[in-house]
Amino acid sequence: MPENYTFVADEDGFLTASSILEQPTLVIEDLVVPEWGGKKIRLKHLSAKERDDFETSMVKMGKNGRQQLNNENFRARLVQLAAVKGDGSPLFTKHDIKTLGNLPASGLQRVYNKINEMSAFSEEDLKDLTEDFDDDRNDDSSSD
């Protein structure tokens, strides 16, 4: 949260609705990526809706009508969602996801880890997302 933002509390010390709802929606952090020439990338904190949408995208319907885990390029998809230009507009398009996914894993993982930290993703969250799926690779694991 920007240091110059002030949260307002009522006389009992509780946050007011307006104080919560008036928070800046675009919070940005820069990350140095040694694997990408030691240069910086700008990342935004995901909104609650963006995080929910990303989590929803982790599920797809298989040809057999059962839900399946969609972890294809999930690191690249998250980086595409959070990487921004200086003005806050997206750095990458959805068309860049495949190319991002083909980059060496170490740099992409560093950026992915930072986004997880910024957006309060945890290992437990990922485990919760994937625990209801069987690891049955023979059951319709081909691309739909």
Side-chain angles (χ1 to χ4, degrees):
M1 190 57 50
E3 294 173 11
N4 61 352
Y5 185 75
T6 304
F7 289 92
V8 178
D10 65 16
E11 61 275 357
D12 296 321
F14 292 98
L15 290 170
T16 63
S18 62
S19 178
I20 294 168
L21 297 174
E22 292 172 1
Q23 291 182 46
T25 56
L26 184 62
V27 180
I28 294 175
E29 293 186 36
D30 294 337
L31 173 68
V32 174
V33 186
E35 298 86 352
W36 294 349
K39 304 299 182 193
K40 295 185 282 188
I41 187 168
R42 187 158 280 158
L43 304 169
K44 71 174 185 168
H45 287 231
L46 298 181
S47 70
K49 181 181 183 332
E50 288 170 325
R51 180 179 160 167
D52 289 346
D53 289 347
F54 178 75
E55 289 177 351
T56 300
S57 79
M58 296 290 291
V59 178
K60 67 179 178 179
M61 293 302 287
K63 291 179 183 174
N64 61 6
R66 290 180 29 200
Q67 289 184 341
Q68 294 181 321
L69 179 63
N70 178 22
N71 60 359
E72 183 177 353
N73 271 332
F74 75 96
R75 287 175 183 80
R77 287 189 287 141
L78 189 62
V79 170
Q80 183 272 322
L81 187 60
V84 294
K85 299 176 187 174
D87 64 0
S89 64
L91 180 62
F92 302 110
T93 69
K94 289 186 179 189
H95 299 290
D96 295 322
I97 291 172
K98 185 174 181 179
T99 304
L100 280 169
N102 287 324
L103 293 174
S106 58
L108 196 65
Q109 184 68 42
R110 181 182 303 277
V111 177
Y112 171 84
N113 289 346
K114 181 63 176 178
I115 297 165
N116 282 342
E117 173 191 315
M118 292 166 54
S119 299
F121 276 111
S122 68
E123 288 297 320
E124 187 67 28
D125 293 331
L126 187 56
K127 192 161 87 173
D128 288 346
L129 277 172
T130 60
E131 70 184 5
D132 292 333
F133 297 97
D134 294 332
D135 193 22
D136 187 357
R137 300 291 178 200
N138 295 323
D139 184 26
D140 194 21
S141 63
S142 63
S143 296
D144 291 318

